[in-house]
Amino acid sequence: MNFLWFEDFLVLAETGNFSRAAEERHVTQPAFSRRIRALEDWLGTELLDRTSQPARLTEVGEWFRGVSEELMVRVASIPGEARSVAEAHSTTLRLAATHALSFTFLPRWLRTLETRTSLGPVQLMSDVLRQCEALMHQSKVQFVLSHTHPMTKGALEVDGYPSTIVGSDVLVPVSAANQRGDAMYSLDGPRADPVPFLQYSTDSGIGRITRAVVGDRLAHMKTNVVFTAHLASVLRTMALDGRGVAWLPRTLIEEDLASKRLVQATADSNWRVPAQIRLFRSHGAIGKAAEDFWNAALSVAAE
């Protein structure tokens, strides 16, 4: 017996045509017919009346159609159930975080959580937000840490994943300093030339936020996109090199601002974008170690 036979039978029951069913299953018609006949031999009875066109299910075939549908649903659920069993006994936390938070916020935050619970091994996957969201959808991680903003909802928020705010940040428009210590490129006042702009790609969560909050305002200014990248850390390097203005998380550039290697590109506070740092968790059971981690995060966030 082969599980492929059940899938073959369901396609044939739907189409009633051996040629079309064989095409959908990407096999030749003779090979497909042999697989259906092998299934009937295994059951010891015929499932189809081949004298009619299209082929019709016998009474046993109608019964077996329901059995096959139930069986395929059950088979499809087995990998997820196996992962759930493994989750229940796993002490390893699987966490995805955007690059900017992996470098800055995450280490300090984990130290705070360790005062509330004993953390086991942590497996960190650091990537752009879109990939972090995909890892959660594929059940490859239990948690995702990212920047969020009320004006734009990411895939995890849209899909109703439980979450809690665990910190805050500000996206600051910055530029390298000139010899006088002022911004090399300023968003203030009249300007003859367009402001060179360092832009995030569409995969970036920070880019998603900046476009939602200041995108319209930027569209009415003279700007010139000179560089595009996924990562805030890359745009930071380009800003330090004097290439243009970038909106960067304050958590990433605190030392740069203190040393005046980077300076704010405007005195207008409306250009600064407050952001939340939010922890998302997987739906359903995630195991005791992960639940303890989640409860510690909730406890710290409530303070």
Side-chain angles (χ1 to χ4, degrees):
M1 194 275 294
N2 189 321
F3 274 119
L4 290 175
W5 299 347
F6 291 85
E7 296 176 347
D8 292 340
F9 171 72
L10 288 173
V11 172
L12 180 57
E14 181 67 27
T15 63
N17 184 285
F18 277 83
S19 296
R20 193 158 58 237
E23 185 178 346
E24 287 193 30
R25 296 294 289 156
H26 306 291
V27 296
T28 65
Q29 182 176 337
F32 183 83
S33 296
R34 286 195 298 271
R35 279 156 49 164
I36 294 297
R37 181 62 72 184
L39 176 61
E40 290 177 318
D41 289 344
W42 178 70
L43 289 169
T45 185
E46 290 189 348
L47 298 172
L48 295 115
D49 178 0
R50 291 169 173 80
T51 63
S52 64
Q53 287 297 330
R56 291 182 300 183
L57 297 179
T58 64
E59 290 185 3
V60 175
E62 291 287 358
W63 165 80
F64 189 67
R65 182 178 191 172
V67 170
S68 298
E69 289 172 345
E70 292 176 7
L71 179 62
M72 297 315 296
V73 169
R74 182 73 185 99
V75 168
S77 71
I78 289 174
E81 292 178 14
R83 286 193 295 269
S84 295
V85 173
E87 290 277 335
H89 300 282
S90 175
T91 60
T92 299
L93 300 174
R94 299 192 313 280
L95 169 68
T98 54
H99 285 285
L101 293 175
S102 299
F103 296 145
T104 56
F105 175 82
L106 179 63
R108 297 193 297 265
W109 179 63
L110 288 179
R111 284 197 296 272
T112 301
L113 293 186
E114 285 174 326
T115 65
R116 302 300 179 91
T117 188
S118 177
L119 298 183
V122 177
Q123 182 181 11
L124 173 65
M125 302 179 195
S126 182
D127 214 318
V128 295
L129 178 58
R130 183 171 293 179
Q131 184 58 30
C132 291
E133 292 169 337
L135 290 170
M136 179 71 94
H137 284 135
Q138 296 162 11
S139 299
K140 292 183 178 179
V141 296
Q142 301 150 320
F143 302 99
V144 167
L145 187 70
S146 70
H147 286 94
T148 62
H149 191 279
M151 286 185 63
T152 179
K153 288 191 174 183
L156 300 183
E157 289 175 279
V158 171
D159 292 340
Y161 281 81
S163 68
T164 187
I165 297 171
V166 296
S168 61
D169 207 345
V170 181
L171 308 179
V172 185
V174 294
S175 161
N178 59 25
Q179 292 182 343
R180 298 188 305 274
D182 300 323
M184 186 178 295
Y185 305 105
S186 175
L187 300 176
D188 297 332
R191 61 191 64 82
D193 299 321
V195 177
F197 180 40
L198 306 175
Q199 175 179 265
Y200 292 95
S201 72
T202 55
D203 286 339
S204 166
I206 295 175
R208 184 187 296 169
I209 293 171
T210 54
R211 283 189 294 274
V213 179
V214 300
D216 287 345
R217 192 174 177 188
L218 272 176
H220 291 87
M221 287 186 60
K222 293 173 64 175
T223 61
N224 179 31
V225 176
V226 296
F227 191 81
T228 301
H230 297 325
L231 307 182
S233 56
V234 175
L235 296 189
R236 169 185 171 270
T237 300
M238 300 303 290
L240 286 167
D241 197 46
R243 300 300 182 96
V245 174
W247 265 256
L248 297 174
R250 181 178 287 276
T251 53
L252 181 65
I253 58 171
E254 286 175 338
E255 294 182 2
D256 298 321
L257 292 173
S259 64
K260 299 190 183 303
R261 288 179 294 178
L262 290 175
V263 296
Q264 296 192 38
T266 175
D268 184 354
S269 62
N270 290 323
W271 281 109
R272 294 193 284 274
V273 180
Q276 304 158 342
I277 300 174
R278 187 176 290 272
L279 180 70
F280 295 89
R281 61 161 284 171
S282 179
H283 290 303
I286 55 176
K288 183 180 184 305
E291 285 289 356
D292 290 344
F293 177 81
W294 173 251
N295 289 330
L298 292 177
S299 176
V300 170
E303 292 182 348

